[in-house]
C-alpha cells in the first residue's frame, strides 16, 4: 500500500512537472484534431491577445488563409513540419510566427501538436539586413554607372557648345540642352562622391577656418542674390578632428540650401559655440521654412521640392556628420525660416 502511495505521489509530481513545462512555456503549444483545437497552453492566449482559450476553434480560422498549411493526418509519420506564417490577433493585426507541427497520439487518437513562436524580432532583423544589402549593392551599381556616364557627358557638352557657336539659330534650345546636361553632371558627381572610396585625411582643424573658406566660395553668389552671410563665433573654440573636405562639403550643402530658399534676399546667420562636449554649429536662414510634416523627409535620398534639385545634398551631409560621430538636426517655422544644427564631438 505504502509503495503504491509512493508511486502515486511520484506520478503526481512528475505529471505536475510536465504540466508546468507546457503551461509555463513562452512558446505557444496547441493540439489540433480534425481541424479543431482540443488543447492550448496559456502562451497561445497571449500570442493571440485573447481573454479565453481557443479550444473548439478551427485552426484554419486563426492562421492567415494564404499561409495555411497541410496538417498531418497520419500519426505514424515521424516527420515534423516547420513553417513561417502569420497569426491573426484579437485586434486584427497579423503577428509573424514560426510553427512546428508534429503528429501526436492524444488520448489514443491521431492529432497534431503545433508549437508557435513569435518571430517579430527575427523578421525585423532579416528585413534590416536585406535592406542594407540592397542599399550597398545599389550604391556600388550607381557608382559604376555614374562613372560611365561622366565621360560621354563631357563629349555631349563639348559638341553642344561647338554646334551653338557655328549657328545663329535655336540658341535657346542649346542653352536648355546644356543646362540639362549640367544637371545630369551634378547628380552624377554627387553619386560618385557618395560611393567613391576616398583617401581620407583625418586631422585637427579649426572649424572657423573651414567656415571662412566656404563663405569665401559662396559669397559672390550670395551678394548677387542680395543675401548677406553673418557670422557669430565664440572665442577660444577647440579644434575638431575631421576630414576637412567632407565638413566643407556639408557646409556648402547647407548654406546653398539656405541661399536657394531666400529668393528675395535676406540674412544667413552662422553661429558656432561650445556646448558641453560638442561644437555646436547653427545655420539659420530667413527663407520660407519647412512645414512640420515635411521635416521628417529631410535627408531621405531624392527628397527634393526644387525643380532642379537632386535631393541628395542633405542625405550626403547627414552621412558625413554621422561618420564624424555627430548629429544633424533641423528646426523650422513656416514663413520665418529654418535652422540647421550640427553637433560635432570635441575629442
Ligand atoms: N534651409 C531650407 N529651407 C527650406 N527647405 C529646405 C532647406 N534646406 C533643405 N530644404 C528642403 O529639403 C530638400 C532637400 O534638400 P537637399 O537634400 O539639399 O536637396 P536639394 O537642395 O537638391 O533639393 C529641399 O528640396 C528643400 O525642400
Ligand atoms: Mg541642396
Amino acid at each position: 500500500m505504502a509503495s503504491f502511495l509512493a508511486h502515486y505521489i511520484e506520478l503526481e509530481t512528475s505529471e505536475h512537472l510536465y504540466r508546468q513545462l507546457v503551461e509555463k512555456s513562452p512558446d505557444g503549444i496547441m493540439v489540433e484534431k480534425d481541424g479543431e483545437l482540443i488543447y492550448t497552453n496559456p502562451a497561445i492566449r497571449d500570442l493571440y491577445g485573447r481573454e479565453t482559450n481557443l479550444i473548439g476553434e478551427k485552426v484554419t480560422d486563426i492562421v492567415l488563409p494564404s499561409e495555411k498549411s497541410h496538417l498531418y493526418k497520419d500519426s505514424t509519420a515521424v516527420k515534423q513540419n516547420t513553417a513561417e506564417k502569420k497569426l491573426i490577433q484579437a485586434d486584427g493585426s497579423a503577428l509573424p510566427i514560426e510553427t512546428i507541427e508534429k503528429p501526436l497520439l492524444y488520448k489514443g487518437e491521431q492529432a497534431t501538436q503545433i508549437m508557435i513562436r513569435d518571430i517579430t524580432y527575427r523578421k525585423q532583423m532579416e528585413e534590416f539586413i536585406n535592406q542594407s544589402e540592397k542599399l550597398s549593392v545599389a550604391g556600388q551599381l550607381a557608382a559604376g554607372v555614374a562613372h560611365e556616364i561622366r565621360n560621354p557627358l563631357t563629349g555631349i557638352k563639348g559638341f553642344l557648345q561647338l554646334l551653338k557657336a557655328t549657328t545663329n539659330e535655336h540658341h535657346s534650345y542649346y542653352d536648355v540642352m546644356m543646362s540639362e546636361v549640367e544637371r545630369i553632371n551634378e547628380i552624377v558627381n554627387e553619386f560618385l562622391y557618395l560611393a567613391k572610396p576616398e583617401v581620407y585625411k583625418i586631422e585637427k582643424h579649426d572649424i572657423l577656418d573651414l567656415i571662412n573658406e566656404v563663405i569665401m566660395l559662396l559669397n559672390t553668389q550670395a551678394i548677387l542674390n542680395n543675401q548677406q552671410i553673418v557670422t557669430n563665433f565664440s572665442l577660444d573654440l577647440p579644434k575638431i578632428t575631421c576630414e576637412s573636405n567632407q565638413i566643407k562639403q556639408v557646409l556648402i550643402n547647407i548654406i546653398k540650401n539656405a541661399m536657394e530658399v531666400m529668393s528675395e534676399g535676406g540674412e544667413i546667420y552662422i553661429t558656432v559655440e561650445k556646448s558641453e562636449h560638442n561644437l555646436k554649429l547653427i545655420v539659420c536662414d530667413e527663407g520660407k521654412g519647412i512645414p512640420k510634416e515635411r521635416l521628417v523627409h529631410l535627408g531621405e535620398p531624392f527628397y527634393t521640392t526644387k525643380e532642379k534639385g537632386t535631393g541628395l545634398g542633405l542625405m550626403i551631409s547627414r552621412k558625413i556628420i554621422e561618420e564624424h560621430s555627430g548629429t544633424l538636426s533641423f528646426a523650422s517655422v513656416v514663413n520665418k525660416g529654418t535652422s540647421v544644427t550640427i553637433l560635432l564631438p570635441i575629442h
Side-chain angles (χ1 to χ4, degrees):
M1 186 67 195
S3 91
F4 174 75
L5 200 63
H7 186 61
Y8 180 77
I9 291 170
E10 196 183 316
L11 257 181
E12 270 273 273
T13 322
S14 78
E15 213 258 19
H16 179 73
L17 189 73
Y18 282 115
R19 179 170 289 277
Q20 287 270 310
L21 278 178
V22 175
E23 304 255 299
K24 296 269 186 311
S25 158
D27 289 331
I29 298 169
M30 53 196 194
V31 177
E32 171 268 350
K33 189 173 155 306
D34 299 330
E36 264 183 29
L37 292 176
I38 52 174
Y39 171 80
T40 63
N41 76 341
I44 290 283
R45 241 182 7 229
D46 298 340
L47 283 166
Y48 279 88
R50 302 260 197 111
E51 296 290 331
T52 54
N53 66 33
L54 291 84
I55 289 172
E57 298 212 21
K58 286 197 163 46
V59 175
T60 45
D61 288 342
I62 56 173
V63 176
L64 278 188
S66 61
E67 312 196 38
K68 276 176 211 164
S69 77
H70 170 74
L71 297 176
Y72 287 96
K73 295 286 167 259
D74 178 9
S75 68
T76 56
V78 282
K79 238 174 80 189
Q80 71 177 28
N81 186 18
T82 309
E84 284 186 7
K85 299 179 187 173
K86 290 202 173 110
L87 66 72
I88 311 138
Q89 291 182 302
D91 64 359
S93 52
L95 185 77
I97 53 164
E98 181 178 71
T99 59
I100 301 171
E101 296 169 9
K102 224 180 154 169
L104 170 89
L105 267 182
Y106 190 78
K107 296 183 180 162
E109 296 195 61
Q110 284 180 15
T112 309
Q113 175 194 357
I114 308 169
M115 281 188 62
I116 294 187
R117 176 168 290 175
D118 177 355
I119 52 166
T120 309
Y121 182 66
R122 193 172 90 196
K123 281 279 155 206
Q124 281 169 347
M125 286 312 285
E126 280 173 10
E127 176 64 18
F128 177 73
I129 291 167
N130 240 339
Q131 204 58 30
S132 351
E133 268 170 15
K134 253 193 248 163
L135 274 179
S136 94
V137 171
Q140 284 161 11
L141 280 178
V145 172
H147 196 79
E148 290 303 316
I149 288 174
R150 228 169 29 166
N151 292 338
L153 272 185
T154 316
I156 293 173
K157 206 172 152 190
F159 282 111
L160 275 177
Q161 273 164 338
L162 211 68
L163 272 180
K164 187 184 167 191
T166 55
T167 171
N168 288 324
E169 281 177 66
H170 308 310
H171 269 197
S172 61
Y173 295 173
Y174 287 115
D175 290 343
V176 171
M177 283 160 83
M178 279 195 307
S179 89
E180 293 297 298
V181 168
E182 195 44 52
R183 182 166 135 70
I184 299 175
N185 205 27
E186 256 176 50
I187 295 176
V188 163
N189 279 341
E190 296 216 47
F191 253 125
L192 274 177
Y193 179 82
L194 199 68
K196 88 177 149 199
E198 282 213 42
V199 190
Y200 297 121
K201 236 166 88 193
I202 312 275
E203 285 170 334
K204 276 195 179 284
H205 287 280
D206 185 342
I207 188 111
L208 304 188
D209 289 344
L210 305 184
I211 296 174
N212 285 327
E213 283 171 44
V214 168
I215 293 176
M216 218 153 61
L217 212 68
L218 297 176
N219 221 8
T220 324
Q221 186 62 44
I223 291 165
L224 277 175
N225 296 354
N226 205 15
Q227 295 156 344
Q228 223 191 329
I229 302 177
V230 184
T231 56
N232 182 4
F233 301 149
S234 297
L235 293 172
D236 295 329
L237 290 171
K239 289 191 172 188
I240 52 157
T241 311
C242 67
E243 211 297 323
S244 59
N245 282 327
Q246 286 198 321
I247 297 296
K248 278 201 265 184
Q249 176 76 51
V250 172
L251 291 168
I252 291 172
N253 289 348
I254 289 168
I255 298 172
K256 258 176 91 178
N257 277 345
M259 287 165 64
E260 282 162 4
V261 88
M262 289 170 32
S263 49
E264 270 131 56
E267 287 179 338
I268 297 167
Y269 301 91
I270 305 178
T271 58
V272 188
E273 62 192 29
K274 217 181 126 186
S275 162
E276 294 184 0
H277 302 295
N278 293 300
L279 213 59
K280 186 154 125 188
L281 192 154
I282 306 172
V283 177
C284 259
D285 66 55
E286 300 179 327
K288 59 179 189 292
I290 305 164
K292 207 170 164 202
E293 67 273 13
R294 289 216 195 126
L295 268 182
V296 289
H297 296 297
L298 262 54
E300 283 177 10
F302 305 111
Y303 175 76
T304 180
T305 54
K306 297 169 194 167
E307 206 184 321
K308 295 204 163 179
T310 62
L312 292 172
L314 290 182
M315 183 190 94
I316 290 173
S317 304
R318 170 160 286 154
K319 182 174 178 275
I320 292 174
I321 295 299
E322 282 173 2
E323 277 170 0
H324 282 79
S325 313
T327 59
L328 180 67
S329 57
F330 309 91
S332 192
V333 181
V334 174
N335 293 329
K336 279 258 188 293
T338 302
S339 74
V340 183
T341 304
I342 299 174
L343 285 180
L344 283 170
I346 302 163
H347 293 289

